Structure formats: structure tokens, C-alpha cells
Amino acid sequence: MPSRKLHFQSPRQLGELYCGREENLELLEQTFDATVLSRDNWVQIEAPSPDAVEAVAEVFNILQEGREQGLNIKNADFQKVANGVANGRQDELRSLYERGTVIKTKRKSIVPKSVGQKSYLAEIFANDVVFGIGPAGTGKTYLAMAAAVSKLLSGDIERIILSRPAVEAGETLGFLPGDLQEKILPYLRPLYDALHDMMSPTDVEKLIERGIIEIAPLAYMRGRTLSNAFVILDEAQNTTPEQMMMFLTRLGEGSQMVVTGDLTQIDIPKARISGLLEVKNILKGIKGVAFHFFDNTDVVRHQLVQRIIEAYDRYRDTHQ
């Protein structure tokens, strides 16, 4: 029976590739009709056909390439690579870990986990204004934040400005407890969470105090010119056309903008059209402006999230 033995630098390195989970090795066995045995710093692969042996080896090789580029391999990553190789997408997967697609921040290296994410990052680094549109869990805001932090650390920009529309959900801001900063904090919390994943809380707070990182509601952008900055507008599906135009025309010298949103989660009153929905048609084809559309295959949260989104899409299709 065809077989192959792969050796790694240490048992720890090998264990990190399959997350130390025996069920992941069992997944390979079931997927490729193979026997996979792991001991110390080696893994033994046996299968009825040489192609199956090479396919299992390819899974480990791709994961190792990702690890060398800074990928912190998680269970979902292992399963994604295994399924991708089984479907003949190994070249596509390997392209995710080419140099230039790894963003380094103070706390971690961030690697795009789908071809869609890789293309999105390429568009961010090639255009002054980028729209990332798609369902929840696709990394729209997170990757934009990673690019912003990376550019700040490298000195390409002088500050980061993060904004969201404060759309009220059943309560007006005036009836919420606390001062204005406390009232708007729930709307901006996801942006803080992403920042803290890439920088220490102490560094984040110091940069906020110095005005190098600014987090503010969309309304605070009016009348300003934002220069030498990386500006992110999150949840842009909840802007009005007037707000969207106001925001985009804040772009100053040496700055770039990333606008993210999910057109299936519009919370503004039904009588108003979403600014994100309208801008797709207005700015299409404008040089320096790019639109990237994510789909369900780019979801990188729990695997169940992708199935939930697909179920909602089917429901909407049948109840239009």
C-alpha cells in the first residue's frame, strides 16, 4: 500500500498543524480514505492510492506554509484546508499564504482565510476608497482594521479614524443612561474589540488619548477634512444617502477610506433608502474606488454561522 512519512522540527510543531485534535486526523482518514498516524515529530500516511497519500501530505504542507507566514492555526482552518484539498483547490489555498498577504500587528499576524479576503486586502492596498459588502462573519471590518493598524505602525499614516452610524434600535439615545460617551459606546464596542485583538489595551488607550486613534459616531464627521488618516466606516448599510455622501467627501490628502456593511441587515426606517445600497450604482467604475462583495463562503466564524446565513438567504428567496 502506498505510504509516506512526513517529519517536522518538533512534536509541538506537528501538533499545532492539526490543533492537537485526534478528530482532525480522523477527518483526514474519512475524507481521503487513508490511515494517518501521528507520533513524536512525524506523521505516517497510508492509502490505497498514491494520489490520496499526496493529498493528505498536501494538507500538512499547506498548513505548514501558513504557519510559517504567521497563521495561528485553529480547528476551522484545518477543516477548511482539508476540504479545499479534497475539492482540488490546493493552488487556491496555497495562494492565501503568499508573501504580501500577511498583516503584522503588535499582538498577532493576520492571514486572509479565503480567496475573497485576500482579494479584499489587495483592493485595500491598491485603492483610496474601498467598499467591503457582505454577510456577517466575513472579516470585512476586522481586515480593514488590521490594514489600518499595520499602516499606522509602519508610519504610512498618522492616525486611524473609526466611525459607525448610531442607529437607534427601539430606544432613543436621549433615554439611554449616562453621558454622551456612555450612550454611544455600545455602537462602537465592536471597533474597540477589534483594536484590542491587535494591540494591547494600554497602547490603544494611549493612542486614543493622544488622538492618534479616534472612535466616533458618523455625525461627528460633518464639516471635517480627514488628512493622512486611515478612515473606516462600519455598518454603512445604516447610513442615509446624505450621510454617505457627507462621509466620502471628508477624504483628505494622504488618506484612504474603507466602508463596510451588510445589505441584509439594514436598520434604518423602511421609508429611507440605504446610502450603501445607493452608492453601489453611483460610484461604479470610478477610478480609485473599489467594491468587494463577500459571499457565504468567506464566513470565518463558527461553521454554523455560514449555514445560518444560507438558511436565511433561502427563506428570503422563497418569500420575496
Side-chain angles (χ1 to χ4, degrees):
M1 181 176 290
S3 65
R4 183 173 173 183
K5 197 172 189 177
L6 303 178
H7 292 271
F8 299 88
Q9 291 181 354
S10 67
R12 178 180 178 180
Q13 184 190 65
L14 172 57
E16 288 176 350
L17 296 183
Y18 66 93
C19 309
R21 294 176 175 239
E22 290 297 322
E23 57 264 37
N24 282 335
L25 299 182
E26 293 171 3
L27 172 66
L28 294 178
E29 293 181 331
Q30 295 167 6
T31 302
F32 299 99
D33 189 24
T35 300
V36 183
L37 179 64
S38 173
R39 290 286 187 275
D40 297 325
N41 67 331
W42 54 265
V43 60
Q44 179 78 26
I45 307 163
E46 293 185 355
S49 73
D51 287 345
V53 171
E54 291 306 310
V56 175
E58 188 77 337
V59 172
F60 284 100
N61 290 336
I62 291 173
L63 288 168
Q64 177 62 15
E65 289 177 19
R67 185 179 177 280
E68 289 171 355
Q69 290 295 323
L71 177 65
N72 181 19
I73 298 168
K74 297 181 180 178
N75 203 43
D77 300 323
F78 183 92
Q79 295 172 4
K80 191 179 188 74
V81 171
N83 292 332
V85 171
N87 292 318
R89 295 171 49 234
Q90 47 265 46
D91 290 341
E92 182 180 299
L93 288 165
R94 183 171 280 108
S95 74
L96 296 178
Y97 308 120
E98 291 175 354
R99 295 192 182 277
T101 58
V102 179
I103 297 179
K104 296 187 181 297
T105 65
K106 282 192 172 181
R107 301 195 83 171
K108 65 194 300 187
S109 293
I110 297 163
V111 181
K113 296 183 179 179
S114 71
V115 172
Q117 287 194 346
K118 181 186 175 186
S119 299
Y120 177 55
L121 280 176
E123 287 163 350
I124 287 175
F125 285 105
N127 295 277
D128 289 333
V129 178
V130 176
F131 292 84
I133 302 172
T138 50
K140 304 182 297 294
T141 304
Y142 191 85
L143 290 174
M145 187 77 76
V149 170
S150 176
K151 288 198 167 195
L152 180 67
L153 295 176
S154 66
D156 292 341
I157 57 167
E158 296 177 357
R159 54 184 177 150
I160 297 173
I161 299 173
L162 312 170
S163 186
R164 295 181 91 185
V167 174
E168 299 159 356
E171 298 181 90
T172 62
L173 288 175
F175 285 99
L176 294 175
D179 59 22
L180 180 60
Q181 191 66 26
E182 291 170 327
K183 291 174 190 289
I184 65 175
L185 182 60
Y187 296 101
L188 305 176
R189 186 76 259 172
L191 300 176
Y192 279 100
D193 291 343
L195 267 178
H196 288 160
D197 203 30
M198 301 168 197
M199 307 176 76
S200 73
T202 301
D203 286 341
V204 171
E205 294 309 315
K206 285 181 179 178
L207 291 172
I208 290 175
E209 288 175 7
R210 293 165 57 192
I212 294 174
I213 294 178
E214 179 182 348
I215 305 178
L218 177 58
Y220 282 35
M221 299 296 107
R222 190 174 300 278
R224 301 176 61 185
T225 299
L226 308 175
S227 302
N228 301 313
F230 195 112
V231 191
I232 299 173
L233 175 60
D234 191 30
E235 299 288 341
Q237 74 275 6
N238 291 325
T239 61
T240 64
E242 296 80 9
Q243 288 174 324
M244 179 62 75
M245 181 181 177
M246 178 274 291
F247 176 78
L248 294 173
T249 53
R250 300 308 94 201
L251 186 66
E253 193 69 29
S255 291
Q256 72 176 111
M257 290 179 166
V258 177
V259 179
T260 67
D262 179 358
L263 291 173
T264 68
Q265 297 189 27
I266 298 173
D267 297 321
I268 58 176
K270 294 187 182 298
R272 303 299 305 273
I273 187 171
S274 165
L276 184 61
L277 186 62
E278 184 185 70
V279 79
K280 287 195 309 172
N281 302 318
I282 296 174
L283 298 185
K284 184 178 180 181
I286 300 294
K287 186 177 181 180
V289 176
F291 287 85
H292 183 87
F293 296 91
F294 291 94
D295 59 32
N296 297 339
T297 63
D298 295 305
V299 173
V300 294
R301 290 180 184 167
H302 192 290
Q303 289 184 331
L304 187 57
V305 173
Q306 182 174 343
R307 295 198 290 271
I308 290 171
I309 293 170
E310 290 170 349
Y312 269 91
D313 286 344
R314 288 193 299 270
Y315 179 85
R316 290 190 182 102
D317 289 342
T318 57
H319 291 77
Q320 287 292 339

